Amino acid sequence: MGKHIIFSTILNILLIVAVIVGYYGFKLDNLFIVILCAAAFGLTVFYKIKHIKIVQLEMKQKAEIMVNLKSKGKK
């Protein structure tokens, strides 16, 4: 679970940095930096959504295992 927390934190930092650098690139009228940051933002959001789905699936599987263990213990 620790690797998921670290990966999620890195993705959050990348999102924040892409927005900040893109904003300052826009203020400096450097559209290449803005386009680069927009691409980085989009790619990071894609991986963030993909990561959330993987974590949800793992949590669902762990919950099902726990329910099965508890139901076997009560019988």
Side-chain angles (χ1 to χ4, degrees):
M1 195 65 183
K3 66 179 180 177
H4 291 299
I5 295 171
I6 292 170
F7 189 64
S8 181
T9 304
I10 290 170
L11 289 175
N12 288 336
I13 291 170
L14 283 173
L15 286 171
I16 293 168
V17 168
V19 169
I20 292 171
V21 171
Y23 172 74
Y24 284 113
F26 184 76
K27 282 180 69 173
L28 295 174
D29 292 329
N30 191 342
L31 295 180
F32 178 72
I33 292 176
V34 174
I35 293 170
L36 189 65
C37 288
F41 183 83
L43 192 60
T44 305
V45 168
F46 170 75
Y47 279 113
K48 182 91 173 148
I49 292 170
K50 190 174 179 181
H51 181 254
I52 288 171
K53 288 181 181 180
I54 290 170
V55 170
Q56 285 177 345
L57 181 63
E58 286 183 13
M59 295 299 285
K60 182 179 178 183
Q61 290 173 349
K62 286 182 183 180
E64 288 175 354
I65 291 171
M66 294 300 290
V67 167
N68 289 337
L69 289 176
K70 287 183 181 180
S71 65
K72 287 181 183 179
K74 289 183 180 180
K75 288 183 180 179

